[in-house]
Amino acid sequence: MKFIYDLHRTMMSQKLILVYQGDFTQESTKSILSMAERNLDSSGEESSIKRKVFNVMVEALQNIVKHSDELVDGQIRSHAAIFLIGKEANQYSIMSGNPIRKENVSKLQAALERINGLEKEGLKDLYKEIIKNTTISEKGGAGLGFVDMARKSGEKLEFEFPEMSAEYCFFCLKVNVPRDSE
């Protein structure tokens, strides 16, 4: 039972205010957003910061629901993923992690690196280009989510792909939203 205390200490040291791990559905996503919204409202955060954090949360959660690859482990099939929000003095961190097939990593990594290589004006142009020339993927995404997260946060997207197995990596994404309104 010591793991409960260890988990609590880890959450406190990492300044985590919300953690959800499990299967992500539209229903669980609504609940997570509702809890996070109440937390932001009760903290007295500025409305412009709340809007940015909420927008990034929505995009991160939609990314998990739409693009997490089903993890097949023997007979167990799952869309298990993790979503976390951290709050520090100068920023909120919205973090997510989900399984992704290794064959999908290079395309996603290239897209994220392209986004991170752009400044504010370049992101705006890419956003317009995607809207104008897009075709919706079979999973429902047009690639706007990551661009929108970078635009709303004003920060580079942090990401890694640690190996889970011979077939899967775990896509870790962190988006920092500054708490000072510019």
Side-chain angles (χ1 to χ4, degrees), residues 66-87:
K66 291 180 181 175
H67 301 290
S68 181
D69 286 327
E70 185 174 56
L71 188 59
V72 181
D73 183 16
Q75 294 299 328
I76 301 167
R77 294 180 171 280
S78 129
H79 284 277
I82 189 164
F83 178 81
L84 313 92
I85 302 172
K87 179 183 176 185

PDB file of all heavy atoms in Angstrom, residues 66-87:
ATOM      1  N   LYS A  66      -8.731  10.057 -30.816  1.00  0.00           N
ATOM      2  CA  LYS A  66      -8.758   9.789 -32.255  1.00  0.00           C
ATOM      3  C   LYS A  66      -7.549   9.024 -32.772  1.00  0.00           C
ATOM      4  O   LYS A  66      -7.656   8.261 -33.719  1.00  0.00           O
ATOM      5  CB  LYS A  66      -8.861  11.106 -33.031  1.00  0.00           C
ATOM      6  CG  LYS A  66     -10.178  11.806 -32.885  1.00  0.00           C
ATOM      7  CD  LYS A  66     -10.170  13.085 -33.695  1.00  0.00           C
ATOM      8  CE  LYS A  66     -11.476  13.837 -33.553  1.00  0.00           C
ATOM      9  NZ  LYS A  66     -11.435  15.125 -34.233  1.00  0.00           N
ATOM     10  N   HIS A  67      -6.388   9.252 -32.168  1.00  0.00           N
ATOM     11  CA  HIS A  67      -5.168   8.761 -32.803  1.00  0.00           C
ATOM     12  C   HIS A  67      -4.359   7.748 -32.006  1.00  0.00           C
ATOM     13  O   HIS A  67      -3.334   7.285 -32.475  1.00  0.00           O
ATOM     14  CB  HIS A  67      -4.271   9.936 -33.197  1.00  0.00           C
ATOM     15  CG  HIS A  67      -4.956  10.876 -34.135  1.00  0.00           C
ATOM     16  ND1 HIS A  67      -5.237  10.544 -35.439  1.00  0.00           N
ATOM     17  CD2 HIS A  67      -5.460  12.113 -33.949  1.00  0.00           C
ATOM     18  CE1 HIS A  67      -5.868  11.548 -36.023  1.00  0.00           C
ATOM     19  NE2 HIS A  67      -6.026  12.505 -35.139  1.00  0.00           N
ATOM     20  N   SER A  68      -4.801   7.421 -30.811  1.00  0.00           N
ATOM     21  CA  SER A  68      -4.102   6.400 -30.047  1.00  0.00           C
ATOM     22  C   SER A  68      -4.308   5.065 -30.750  1.00  0.00           C
ATOM     23  O   SER A  68      -5.429   4.708 -31.100  1.00  0.00           O
ATOM     24  CB  SER A  68      -4.680   6.345 -28.626  1.00  0.00           C
ATOM     25  OG  SER A  68      -3.999   5.388 -27.858  1.00  0.00           O
ATOM     26  N   ASP A  69      -3.242   4.342 -30.973  1.00  0.00           N
ATOM     27  CA  ASP A  69      -3.365   3.035 -31.607  1.00  0.00           C
ATOM     28  C   ASP A  69      -3.794   2.010 -30.566  1.00  0.00           C
ATOM     29  O   ASP A  69      -3.349   2.037 -29.419  1.00  0.00           O
ATOM     30  CB  ASP A  69      -2.036   2.605 -32.249  1.00  0.00           C
ATOM     31  CG  ASP A  69      -1.751   3.365 -33.530  1.00  0.00           C
ATOM     32  OD1 ASP A  69      -2.710   3.707 -34.252  1.00  0.00           O
ATOM     33  OD2 ASP A  69      -0.570   3.644 -33.808  1.00  0.00           O
ATOM     34  N   GLU A  70      -4.656   1.108 -30.988  1.00  0.00           N
ATOM     35  CA  GLU A  70      -5.129   0.066 -30.084  1.00  0.00           C
ATOM     36  C   GLU A  70      -3.964  -0.851 -29.748  1.00  0.00           C
ATOM     37  O   GLU A  70      -3.291  -1.382 -30.624  1.00  0.00           O
ATOM     38  CB  GLU A  70      -6.252  -0.720 -30.755  1.00  0.00           C
ATOM     39  CG  GLU A  70      -6.883  -1.727 -29.840  1.00  0.00           C
ATOM     40  CD  GLU A  70      -8.073  -2.388 -30.488  1.00  0.00           C
ATOM     41  OE1 GLU A  70      -7.909  -2.954 -31.583  1.00  0.00           O
ATOM     42  OE2 GLU A  70      -9.158  -2.328 -29.908  1.00  0.00           O
ATOM     43  N   LEU A  71      -3.727  -0.996 -28.466  1.00  0.00           N
ATOM     44  CA  LEU A  71      -2.637  -1.834 -27.990  1.00  0.00           C
ATOM     45  C   LEU A  71      -3.145  -3.267 -27.859  1.00  0.00           C
ATOM     46  O   LEU A  71      -4.114  -3.520 -27.139  1.00  0.00           O
ATOM     47  CB  LEU A  71      -2.144  -1.308 -26.638  1.00  0.00           C
ATOM     48  CG  LEU A  71      -0.898  -1.926 -26.053  1.00  0.00           C
ATOM     49  CD1 LEU A  71       0.288  -1.750 -27.003  1.00  0.00           C
ATOM     50  CD2 LEU A  71      -0.587  -1.268 -24.720  1.00  0.00           C
ATOM     51  N   VAL A  72      -2.510  -4.170 -28.573  1.00  0.00           N
ATOM     52  CA  VAL A  72      -2.921  -5.565 -28.536  1.00  0.00           C
ATOM     53  C   VAL A  72      -1.866  -6.345 -27.768  1.00  0.00           C
ATOM     54  O   VAL A  72      -0.705  -6.414 -28.162  1.00  0.00           O
ATOM     55  CB  VAL A  72      -3.085  -6.147 -29.965  1.00  0.00           C
ATOM     56  CG1 VAL A  72      -3.537  -7.590 -29.899  1.00  0.00           C
ATOM     57  CG2 VAL A  72      -4.055  -5.298 -30.771  1.00  0.00           C
ATOM     58  N   ASP A  73      -2.282  -6.905 -26.638  1.00  0.00           N
ATOM     59  CA  ASP A  73      -1.363  -7.649 -25.772  1.00  0.00           C
ATOM     60  C   ASP A  73      -1.983  -9.018 -25.545  1.00  0.00           C
ATOM     61  O   ASP A  73      -2.833  -9.181 -24.670  1.00  0.00           O
ATOM     62  CB  ASP A  73      -1.169  -6.886 -24.455  1.00  0.00           C
ATOM     63  CG  ASP A  73      -0.176  -7.574 -23.532  1.00  0.00           C
ATOM     64  OD1 ASP A  73       0.582  -8.445 -24.008  1.00  0.00           O
ATOM     65  OD2 ASP A  73      -0.175  -7.249 -22.332  1.00  0.00           O
ATOM     66  N   GLY A  74      -1.559  -9.993 -26.340  1.00  0.00           N
ATOM     67  CA  GLY A  74      -2.217 -11.290 -26.275  1.00  0.00           C
ATOM     68  C   GLY A  74      -3.646 -11.116 -26.756  1.00  0.00           C
ATOM     69  O   GLY A  74      -3.879 -10.697 -27.872  1.00  0.00           O
ATOM     70  N   GLN A  75      -4.611 -11.367 -25.900  1.00  0.00           N
ATOM     71  CA  GLN A  75      -6.020 -11.188 -26.255  1.00  0.00           C
ATOM     72  C   GLN A  75      -6.573  -9.843 -25.765  1.00  0.00           C
ATOM     73  O   GLN A  75      -7.696  -9.498 -26.049  1.00  0.00           O
ATOM     74  CB  GLN A  75      -6.861 -12.328 -25.675  1.00  0.00           C
ATOM     75  CG  GLN A  75      -6.548 -13.675 -26.275  1.00  0.00           C
ATOM     76  CD  GLN A  75      -6.805 -13.713 -27.778  1.00  0.00           C
ATOM     77  OE1 GLN A  75      -7.691 -13.038 -28.291  1.00  0.00           O
ATOM     78  NE2 GLN A  75      -6.018 -14.501 -28.492  1.00  0.00           N
ATOM     79  N   ILE A  76      -5.777  -9.121 -24.981  1.00  0.00           N
ATOM     80  CA  ILE A  76      -6.249  -7.855 -24.413  1.00  0.00           C
ATOM     81  C   ILE A  76      -6.083  -6.743 -25.442  1.00  0.00           C
ATOM     82  O   ILE A  76      -5.006  -6.516 -25.980  1.00  0.00           O
ATOM     83  CB  ILE A  76      -5.453  -7.497 -23.134  1.00  0.00           C
ATOM     84  CG1 ILE A  76      -5.607  -8.601 -22.091  1.00  0.00           C
ATOM     85  CG2 ILE A  76      -5.911  -6.160 -22.568  1.00  0.00           C
ATOM     86  CD1 ILE A  76      -4.637  -8.497 -20.947  1.00  0.00           C
ATOM     87  N   ARG A  77      -7.166  -6.068 -25.739  1.00  0.00           N
ATOM     88  CA  ARG A  77      -7.138  -4.926 -26.641  1.00  0.00           C
ATOM     89  C   ARG A  77      -7.490  -3.701 -25.821  1.00  0.00           C
ATOM     90  O   ARG A  77      -8.466  -3.704 -25.094  1.00  0.00           O
ATOM     91  CB  ARG A  77      -8.147  -5.084 -27.776  1.00  0.00           C
ATOM     92  CG  ARG A  77      -7.820  -6.214 -28.697  1.00  0.00           C
ATOM     93  CD  ARG A  77      -8.856  -6.324 -29.803  1.00  0.00           C
ATOM     94  NE  ARG A  77      -8.457  -7.263 -30.809  1.00  0.00           N
ATOM     95  CZ  ARG A  77      -7.595  -7.026 -31.795  1.00  0.00           C
ATOM     96  NH1 ARG A  77      -7.036  -5.859 -31.896  1.00  0.00           N
ATOM     97  NH2 ARG A  77      -7.294  -7.943 -32.676  1.00  0.00           N
ATOM     98  N   SER A  78      -6.679  -2.658 -25.961  1.00  0.00           N
ATOM     99  CA  SER A  78      -6.929  -1.502 -25.117  1.00  0.00           C
ATOM    100  C   SER A  78      -6.462  -0.227 -25.781  1.00  0.00           C
ATOM    101  O   SER A  78      -5.553  -0.232 -26.612  1.00  0.00           O
ATOM    102  CB  SER A  78      -6.230  -1.740 -23.778  1.00  0.00           C
ATOM    103  OG  SER A  78      -5.434  -0.682 -23.392  1.00  0.00           O
ATOM    104  N   HIS A  79      -7.108   0.871 -25.420  1.00  0.00           N
ATOM    105  CA  HIS A  79      -6.704   2.211 -25.835  1.00  0.00           C
ATOM    106  C   HIS A  79      -6.197   2.954 -24.604  1.00  0.00           C
ATOM    107  O   HIS A  79      -6.462   4.131 -24.434  1.00  0.00           O
ATOM    108  CB  HIS A  79      -7.883   2.970 -26.460  1.00  0.00           C
ATOM    109  CG  HIS A  79      -8.200   2.514 -27.846  1.00  0.00           C
ATOM    110  ND1 HIS A  79      -7.537   2.976 -28.946  1.00  0.00           N
ATOM    111  CD2 HIS A  79      -9.105   1.619 -28.303  1.00  0.00           C
ATOM    112  CE1 HIS A  79      -8.033   2.396 -30.034  1.00  0.00           C
ATOM    113  NE2 HIS A  79      -8.982   1.565 -29.667  1.00  0.00           N
ATOM    114  N   ALA A  80      -5.520   2.235 -23.715  1.00  0.00           N
ATOM    115  CA  ALA A  80      -5.047   2.823 -22.468  1.00  0.00           C
ATOM    116  C   ALA A  80      -4.042   3.933 -22.757  1.00  0.00           C
ATOM    117  O   ALA A  80      -3.146   3.784 -23.580  1.00  0.00           O
ATOM    118  CB  ALA A  80      -4.421   1.766 -21.578  1.00  0.00           C
ATOM    119  N   ALA A  81      -4.249   5.051 -22.093  1.00  0.00           N
ATOM    120  CA  ALA A  81      -3.369   6.197 -22.262  1.00  0.00           C
ATOM    121  C   ALA A  81      -3.339   6.957 -20.944  1.00  0.00           C
ATOM    122  O   ALA A  81      -3.967   6.548 -19.963  1.00  0.00           O
ATOM    123  CB  ALA A  81      -3.893   7.086 -23.396  1.00  0.00           C
ATOM    124  N   ILE A  82      -2.616   8.073 -20.914  1.00  0.00           N
ATOM    125  CA  ILE A  82      -2.520   8.884 -19.705  1.00  0.00           C
ATOM    126  C   ILE A  82      -2.599  10.360 -20.075  1.00  0.00           C
ATOM    127  O   ILE A  82      -2.142  10.766 -21.148  1.00  0.00           O
ATOM    128  CB  ILE A  82      -1.225   8.563 -18.911  1.00  0.00           C
ATOM    129  CG1 ILE A  82      -1.236   9.253 -17.546  1.00  0.00           C
ATOM    130  CG2 ILE A  82       0.019   8.928 -19.716  1.00  0.00           C
ATOM    131  CD1 ILE A  82      -0.205   8.684 -16.578  1.00  0.00           C
ATOM    132  N   PHE A  83      -3.218  11.124 -19.175  1.00  0.00           N
ATOM    133  CA  PHE A  83      -3.362  12.572 -19.361  1.00  0.00           C
ATOM    134  C   PHE A  83      -3.067  13.228 -18.015  1.00  0.00           C
ATOM    135  O   PHE A  83      -3.568  12.793 -16.986  1.00  0.00           O
ATOM    136  CB  PHE A  83      -4.795  12.906 -19.802  1.00  0.00           C
ATOM    137  CG  PHE A  83      -5.047  14.372 -19.979  1.00  0.00           C
ATOM    138  CD1 PHE A  83      -4.653  15.018 -21.144  1.00  0.00           C
ATOM    139  CD2 PHE A  83      -5.667  15.117 -18.984  1.00  0.00           C
ATOM    140  CE1 PHE A  83      -4.880  16.377 -21.315  1.00  0.00           C
ATOM    141  CE2 PHE A  83      -5.906  16.466 -19.143  1.00  0.00           C
ATOM    142  CZ  PHE A  83      -5.507  17.100 -20.313  1.00  0.00           C
ATOM    143  N   LEU A  84      -2.228  14.274 -18.043  1.00  0.00           N
ATOM    144  CA  LEU A  84      -1.827  14.945 -16.813  1.00  0.00           C
ATOM    145  C   LEU A  84      -1.823  16.454 -17.015  1.00  0.00           C
ATOM    146  O   LEU A  84      -1.525  16.939 -18.112  1.00  0.00           O
ATOM    147  CB  LEU A  84      -0.402  14.544 -16.400  1.00  0.00           C
ATOM    148  CG  LEU A  84      -0.008  13.078 -16.406  1.00  0.00           C
ATOM    149  CD1 LEU A  84       0.592  12.679 -17.731  1.00  0.00           C
ATOM    150  CD2 LEU A  84       0.974  12.818 -15.305  1.00  0.00           C
ATOM    151  N   ILE A  85      -2.121  17.169 -15.938  1.00  0.00           N
ATOM    152  CA  ILE A  85      -1.979  18.618 -15.939  1.00  0.00           C
ATOM    153  C   ILE A  85      -1.128  18.984 -14.735  1.00  0.00           C
ATOM    154  O   ILE A  85      -1.405  18.537 -13.610  1.00  0.00           O
ATOM    155  CB  ILE A  85      -3.331  19.348 -15.822  1.00  0.00           C
ATOM    156  CG1 ILE A  85      -4.258  18.946 -16.955  1.00  0.00           C
ATOM    157  CG2 ILE A  85      -3.118  20.867 -15.818  1.00  0.00           C
ATOM    158  CD1 ILE A  85      -5.665  19.479 -16.793  1.00  0.00           C
ATOM    159  N   GLY A  86      -0.103  19.776 -14.977  1.00  0.00           N
ATOM    160  CA  GLY A  86       0.734  20.284 -13.903  1.00  0.00           C
ATOM    161  C   GLY A  86       0.619  21.797 -13.838  1.00  0.00           C
ATOM    162  O   GLY A  86       0.389  22.457 -14.852  1.00  0.00           O
ATOM    163  N   LYS A  87       0.746  22.333 -12.623  1.00  0.00           N
ATOM    164  CA  LYS A  87       0.656  23.783 -12.444  1.00  0.00           C
ATOM    165  C   LYS A  87       1.857  24.245 -11.638  1.00  0.00           C
ATOM    166  O   LYS A  87       2.071  23.811 -10.512  1.00  0.00           O
ATOM    167  CB  LYS A  87      -0.634  24.147 -11.715  1.00  0.00           C
ATOM    168  CG  LYS A  87      -0.785  25.638 -11.459  1.00  0.00           C
ATOM    169  CD  LYS A  87      -2.056  25.916 -10.673  1.00  0.00           C
ATOM    170  CE  LYS A  87      -2.189  27.385 -10.328  1.00  0.00           C
ATOM    171  NZ  LYS A  87      -3.370  27.618  -9.463  1.00  0.00           N
TER     172      LYS A  87
END
